[in-house]
Structures are given as C-alpha cells and as structure tokens.
Amino acid sequence: MAVGSKDLTSENMRGLDDERLVDELRKAKEELFNLRFQSATGQLDNHGRLRAVRKDIARIYTELRERELGIGGATPKSTEKSA
C-alpha cells in the first residue's frame, strides 16, 4: 500500500489488522523523515507530499485509537475474550 495515496483511506484501513497498520505507520514516518531531510537540503520537488504523508500518519493513529477505545466499527483487540 502506497503511503500518501488514495489507497490509505479510513475504509481501507478498517480491513487491515493491527500489525499491518503499525507497519504502515512505520513506513509513513520513515517517508516523512526522508521528505523533511530533502526539504532541508533543498532537494524536495513536491512539497504537497509532506502534507499528504502527515495526514496519512494522523489517519493511522486515529484508526488505532478507535480500535483501542472500541468505537467506529472496528473491533478492538483488547476487548475480545476467548470462551
């Protein structure tokens, strides 16, 4: 899944498991670091990409928090109990 793209929508993230979301978050943070580095050195061509990646990170954090609280249609991992 490409970070900063239309593939990373709330509806698509609800279908992913927690481990995959954490992996996407790690990739997005790494990309944001690289983009900031490029911006500082004057090598960044597309400044809008910074905003898109920051929004993706916020979307992922929101989805993880909703799962933690048990809201928003996602099933939280912590409230599932085996019989």
Side-chain angles (χ1 to χ4, degrees), residues 14-67:
R14 287 193 179 104
L16 302 177
D17 60 346
D18 289 353
E19 185 177 309
R20 178 71 191 264
L21 275 177
V22 171
D23 185 49
E24 291 295 328
L25 179 63
R26 183 194 54 77
K27 286 193 278 187
K29 284 185 170 186
E30 185 176 314
E31 183 177 358
L32 183 61
F33 174 80
N34 291 332
L35 289 171
R36 284 182 175 160
F37 194 86
Q38 289 175 5
S39 179
T41 59
Q43 298 175 354
L44 185 62
D45 295 329
N46 186 1
H47 293 281
R49 189 83 177 119
L50 281 167
R51 183 175 186 232
V53 174
R54 280 197 316 264
K55 284 184 176 251
D56 284 345
I57 291 171
R59 243 183 246 115
I60 294 170
Y61 273 132
T62 300
E63 181 64 27
L64 288 171
R65 183 64 176 157
E66 284 179 355
R67 290 179 184 194

Side-chain angles (χ1 to χ4, degrees), residues 1 5-14 56 59:
M1 185 179 297
S5 68
K6 294 185 185 343
D7 294 338
L8 202 56
T9 61
S10 298
E11 293 81 27
N12 292 343
M13 284 192 294
R14 287 193 179 104
D56 284 345
R59 243 183 246 115

